[in-house]
Amino acid sequence: MPDTPPVIEIRDLHKSYGDLEVLKGVDITAHKGDVVSLIGSSGSGKSTLLRCANLLEDSQKGDILFKGEAVKWRGQGLNRRPADPKQVLRIRTNLSMVFQQFNLWAHMTILQNVMEAPLTVLGRNRGEVETAARAYLAKVGIGDKCDAYPAQLSGGQQQRAAIARALCMEPEALLFDEPTSALDPELEQEVVKVIKALAQEGRTMIIVTHDMKMAHDVSDHVVFLHQGLIEEQGPPDLLFGAPKSERLRGFLSSTSHAA
Ligand SMILES: Nc1ncnc2c1ncn2[C@@H]1O[C@H](COP(=O)(O)OP(=O)(O)O)[C@@H](O)[C@H]1O
Ligand SMILES: [Mg+2]
């Protein structure tokens, strides 16, 4: 779709924590319907990149565009901050994040967890939100868990609740940070299944994952990060089937699920 701007476009992004330069000029583009996976060793900057993309973290240089709209900054370098809080809220609520540790509220039922942000952040109508929340919970296969509390669910069910919560914001894109890493292998697959279904229905997603089989199966594009730079990227068949860089070959042979 060359005429519509990408949902997310990151250009030459630089991010430091004090003296530690974590992102050294990274470009990522996700058009509507694209699934982009980010792979790389621990510490390569994958989580930081996702957090910068939805403005949970500041960055020092480079551009972040949401549907063609560039984030407005004030200040420079370590003093650079987003200039427009309304713009930040609009972008952040349109790029819903799913975390490794689910981050559900322990004192709320699953249904309340899913309804919370649409009600309080978006100010949507309670009846409509409840209908949508129940539908998303059914969609991820836990429609019978609405009245349960997070502690009463398995890890795989909690993560699916977290995905329903992200979907209930009706975001333009979903950002996943290692969504299956905290799960036992047998529970991992139920979450992978949900992510595959979302990919098939044309959701725009950026997925940080250690699961090379999932990355291979769901992605349109895979990006291998190494020490804050893109070392290699391409379509999954090429990236996993014919990796060019020595570092990517080493990384893939060190991961157990290489496709
Ligand atoms: N809040 C922080 N303060 C200081 N250093 C951080 C912070 N978050 C991450 N880092 C550092 O940034 C680097 C990249 O981290 P991260 O983005 O979490 O990598 P990944 O997700 O690829 O494992 C690491 O060296 C990490 O220690
Ligand atoms: Mg990480």
Side-chain angles (χ1 to χ4, degrees):
M1 272 172 281
D3 293 341
T4 46
V7 178
I8 304 168
E9 186 173 3
I10 291 172
R11 295 183 191 149
D12 191 33
L13 198 73
H14 292 249
K15 160 77 182 173
S16 299
Y17 290 107
D19 291 339
L20 180 70
E21 197 179 16
V22 175
L23 300 176
K24 302 171 183 168
V26 176
D27 301 88
I28 300 274
T29 300
H31 283 93
K32 195 168 173 56
D34 280 353
V35 179
V36 177
S37 288
L38 292 179
I39 61 170
S41 311
S42 177
S44 56
K46 306 178 300 293
S47 296
T48 302
L49 183 55
L50 276 195
R51 293 170 59 81
C52 287
N54 86 342
L55 306 171
L56 286 170
E57 290 280 359
D58 292 328
S59 50
Q60 282 82 50
K61 195 176 151 216
D63 295 310
I64 299 171
L65 294 92
F66 170 68
K67 293 171 79 180
E69 172 193 347
V71 172
K72 296 182 209 120
W73 308 105
R74 61 178 163 76
Q76 289 205 330
L78 287 169
N79 295 316
R80 185 169 96 156
R81 304 281 180 273
D84 178 354
K86 283 195 182 135
Q87 183 187 44
V88 171
L89 187 67
R90 184 167 67 248
I91 292 175
R92 191 173 294 155
T93 53
N94 268 294
L95 304 177
S96 275
M97 190 103 159
V98 175
F99 300 93
Q100 180 177 344
Q101 296 295 344
F102 331 135
N103 298 358
L104 297 168
W105 298 106
H107 65 288
M108 289 183 188
T109 66
I110 294 302
L111 182 67
Q112 287 167 342
N113 264 281
V114 175
M115 291 176 62
E116 177 68 10
L119 289 179
T120 60
V121 181
L122 302 180
R124 286 175 49 201
N125 169 280
R126 178 171 287 275
E128 284 170 20
V129 170
E130 181 170 343
T131 304
R134 288 183 185 278
Y136 285 123
L137 284 164
K139 184 185 173 87
V140 300
I142 50 170
D144 56 335
K145 299 294 182 191
C146 288
D147 299 323
Y149 286 86
Q152 298 169 313
L153 268 57
S154 72
Q157 290 170 332
Q158 288 187 56
Q159 188 60 302
R160 285 184 283 152
I163 293 171
R165 178 181 56 181
L167 290 169
C168 205
M169 290 296 279
E170 312 285 356
E172 291 280 344
L174 295 163
L175 310 181
F176 291 88
D177 193 355
E178 305 266 15
T180 60
S181 300
L183 302 174
D184 295 334
E186 71 272 23
L187 299 181
E188 222 177 303
Q189 285 318 305
E190 58 190 41
V191 173
V192 170
K193 208 172 127 195
V194 168
I195 293 173
K196 280 187 177 165
L198 294 172
Q200 263 156 19
E201 69 182 45
R203 297 263 174 188
T204 310
M205 305 196 275
I206 300 183
I207 307 175
V208 170
T209 185
H210 71 289
D211 182 341
M212 297 303 132
K213 181 158 179 11
M214 177 173 75
H216 178 270
D217 293 350
V218 306
S219 307
D220 298 292
H221 192 75
V222 182
V223 173
F224 172 56
L225 266 189
H226 176 74
Q227 296 183 356
L229 281 171
I230 296 178
E231 168 91 9
E232 190 166 337
Q233 58 181 317
D237 281 342
L238 273 183
L239 202 100
F240 293 115
K244 292 193 198 78
S245 94
E246 198 57 50
R247 284 200 185 105
L248 176 55
R249 282 200 289 271
F251 174 74
L252 292 177
S253 64
S254 72
T255 57
S256 51
H257 299 293

